Amino acid sequence: MGGTMNGTKQQRRRGDTRQRIQDVALELFAEQGYEKTSLREIAERLDVTKAALYYHFKTKEEILVSIFEDLSRPLGELIDWGREQPHTLETKQEIIRRYSEALAGAAPLFRFMQENQATVRDLRIGELFKTRMFGLRDILIDPEADLVDQVRCVSALFTLHAGMFVLRDLEGDPEEQRAAVLEVATDLVTQAHRGAAGG
């Protein structure tokens, strides 16, 4: 029984070597820092030759940029979706909910970005990420909103980010924590929307 299960899993993983390289590289970057990690170490941990790794990625930077592009794709899709929607409270709440999910899926990447800010700046990933953040912000903020409500919308995004880092050190169930963070972020956009609507 174990053999057949393993066989199918093996095939699926082999087809996804690129993904495995990304996962292992991110683990190593997180453990010992981006600068100190070599392509050879990534290959060794994957138990593949350096040539096999080279087939997919020529440099560490290529690996990191590809991780960023893959994990932040849902953010790009969310922005595209949000731009097509009416500027209603439901849309904004849905954006916050989906963004919370996207962040949870990309948590290892964002931790890495938080802990390796100099690398992130040098590789211009920071710029890409900022552009995505501004895209989300522009969908959440009503053009006629006053400054306090604009700040509420931006704070909703930062609440979701802070939740990833700050809550990690608190006791408790991660899902409950994520739900609590999401509730606070949703409250902020709801207040901002009502403020704008109330004029």
Side-chain angles (χ1 to χ4, degrees), residues 127-168:
E127 283 308 306
L128 282 167
F129 184 61
K130 237 185 265 173
T131 309
R132 294 255 154 98
M133 286 293 297
F134 290 155
L136 274 180
R137 178 198 65 183
D138 294 344
I139 297 168
L140 288 173
I141 291 178
D142 286 296
E144 66 282 3
D146 66 23
L147 189 55
V148 170
D149 286 319
Q150 292 183 31
V151 171
R152 282 191 176 113
C153 287
V154 176
S155 299
L157 294 174
F158 283 117
T159 297
L160 294 175
H161 286 203
M164 274 198 313
F165 299 108
V166 181
L167 293 179
R168 232 180 12 174

Side-chain angles (χ1 to χ4, degrees), residues 16-176:
D16 219 358
T17 308
R18 190 171 174 276
Q19 168 103 48
R20 282 182 54 227
I21 294 169
Q22 291 175 331
D23 292 346
V24 164
L26 196 52
E27 266 173 32
L28 279 164
F29 294 160
E31 278 169 30
Q32 55 193 35
Y34 175 80
E35 303 302 334
K36 293 196 178 80
T37 304
S38 67
L39 279 176
R40 169 169 290 128
E41 284 174 291
I42 296 169
E44 278 169 7
R45 183 168 289 194
L46 275 164
D47 206 16
V48 299
T49 62
K50 205 169 158 198
L53 181 61
Y54 218 65
Y55 172 78
H56 293 276
F57 298 104
K58 303 283 176 276
T59 62
K60 279 194 301 189
E61 181 167 354
E62 267 183 37
I63 300 176
L64 189 55
V65 169
S66 77
I67 293 170
F68 180 83
E69 283 170 352
D70 287 1
L71 287 181
S72 67
R73 190 168 296 121
L75 302 187
E77 287 164 6
L78 179 54
I79 292 166
D80 292 343
W81 176 84
R83 285 185 178 137
E84 303 295 306
Q85 304 307 308
H87 230 64
T88 62
L89 178 55
E90 287 69 36
T91 298
K92 293 173 193 173
Q93 290 174 340
E94 181 64 10
I95 284 172
I96 290 293
R97 193 187 65 71
R98 290 189 190 189
Y99 188 51
S100 168
E101 275 174 15
L103 283 179
L109 171 69
F110 290 117
R111 280 196 202 113
F112 167 80
M113 285 172 67
Q114 183 76 13
E115 286 156 14
N116 297 268
Q117 289 181 6
T119 301
V120 166
R121 262 198 307 276
D122 290 346
L123 298 183
R124 300 219 306 281
I125 290 176
E127 283 308 306
L128 282 167
F129 184 61
K130 237 185 265 173
T131 309
R132 294 255 154 98
M133 286 293 297
F134 290 155
L136 274 180
R137 178 198 65 183
D138 294 344
I139 297 168
L140 288 173
I141 291 178
D142 286 296
E144 66 282 3
D146 66 23
L147 189 55
V148 170
D149 286 319
Q150 292 183 31
V151 171
R152 282 191 176 113
C153 287
V154 176
S155 299
L157 294 174
F158 283 117
T159 297
L160 294 175
H161 286 203
M164 274 198 313
F165 299 108
V166 181
L167 293 179
R168 232 180 12 174
D169 303 325
L170 292 182
E171 293 294 312
D173 173 30
E175 272 312 299
E176 276 177 25

